Amino acid sequence: MTTHPTQTMISEYASGGRGVDDTTSWAVEAHLESCAACRAVLAEAVDPTTRDLLDRVADGIATGIATGPAPVRRRRLRRTGVAGRILPWLATAAGLMLAAVLFETTFDNLPSLVLLVAPMAPLLPVAALWSRRLDPAWELMATMPRTGLALLLRRTLAVLVAVIPVLAVAGWGTGHSPGLWLLPALGFTAGALALGGLVGVDRAAAVLALTWSAGVVAPSLAGGRLPAVLADSSSPWWAASTVALVAVVLVRARRRPLGGLPRTS
């Protein structure tokens, strides 16, 4: 509606829309949202009984606001919800790396536990940030139009920003090359996201962590030497694998609509 509705049309609209078709009613409503003059005409067109009811409701609401308790101020951490759930998992990942550093400095005759555990360190918080059992706002997030992989990638980036400095301190404190702990950690994170589109992010992280523990960590500790996948020569392989997995995640994010959700348990 580009012109002002007539007073007769507004009066018919105020009476409940009798004699006004739906298209005209919607046009009048859209116009009233941006026109104060027509809203004033509408207020005059309302019958006295309805106006009295509206006045009494407005007075009751105003009295309730004035005499009721003040709104309870909540900490931002409690409002976000997911932050409160992810912090314990970040603390667990940091504690895991601290235990690995202590273990390595105490038992220097064994292979580096820092390098063995570093790939799995980001998986704990990554699994927690996209799980209906751990995210209290899961239903709300699942119904938002801009959710799905885009939101998952942003949350994963936040996890890596928090975990990588811990890995850096642990790696540099024990004298290991950054590539030997950074690239495997990034590769496993990208692998969890890529596999998460099929089985769920939490399941993917659990499968990768168990597979790495059984296939690499346990044999390395039993044999007393690091595996070939954590040797200096393995860095190009880890870099190529990480790039390939990131490409898979990005391609899947483009093919999936913004409102689409990766599978989760």
Side-chain angles (χ1 to χ4, degrees), residues 91-107 110-118 121 166-167 169-170 174 221:
T92 301
L96 184 64
M97 294 310 303
L98 176 60
V101 171
L102 294 177
F103 189 93
E104 183 168 334
T105 55
T106 304
F107 304 97
L110 294 177
S112 172
L113 196 63
V114 170
L115 296 182
L116 291 174
V117 174
V166 177
L167 294 178
V169 172
T174 51
L221 293 178

Side-chain angles (χ1 to χ4, degrees), residues 37-240:
C38 288
R39 289 198 299 271
V41 175
L42 175 65
E44 294 296 330
V46 175
D47 63 271
T49 303
T50 302
R51 189 182 301 115
D52 180 65
L53 175 61
L54 293 175
D55 291 340
R56 285 188 284 111
V57 170
D59 291 340
I61 293 176
T63 302
I65 294 175
T67 60
V72 178
R73 298 192 62 180
R74 297 181 178 179
R75 295 177 297 175
R76 184 172 180 80
L77 181 62
R78 295 183 61 184
R79 287 202 304 270
T80 55
V82 67
R85 296 300 180 98
I86 202 68
L87 283 179
W89 294 96
L90 289 173
T92 301
L96 184 64
M97 294 310 303
L98 176 60
V101 171
L102 294 177
F103 189 93
E104 183 168 334
T105 55
T106 304
F107 304 97
D108 53 3
N109 58 322
L110 294 177
S112 172
L113 196 63
V114 170
L115 296 182
L116 291 174
V117 174
M120 299 184 295
L123 295 183
L124 294 174
V126 167
L129 58 80
W130 197 260
S131 172
R132 69 173 70 240
R133 291 186 296 270
L134 296 176
D135 189 350
W138 169 260
E139 290 81 3
L140 178 62
M141 301 306 299
T143 57
M144 292 178 61
R146 295 189 63 85
T147 184
L149 281 171
L151 178 61
L152 177 60
L153 293 176
R154 290 196 295 271
R155 287 184 174 183
T156 302
L157 177 62
V159 168
L160 291 176
V161 168
V163 173
I164 285 179
V166 177
L167 294 178
V169 172
W172 292 332
T174 51
H176 297 301
S177 171
L180 294 179
W181 51 260
L182 177 60
L183 289 176
L186 295 178
F188 267 62
T189 302
L193 297 179
L195 185 59
L198 300 176
V199 299
V201 178
D202 49 354
R203 287 197 182 101
V207 167
L208 291 176
L210 291 175
T211 301
W212 180 261
S213 299
V216 176
V217 177
S220 299
L221 293 178
R225 59 193 300 269
L226 286 173
V229 294
L230 290 177
D232 290 332
S233 58
S234 66
S235 294
W237 183 88
W238 281 110

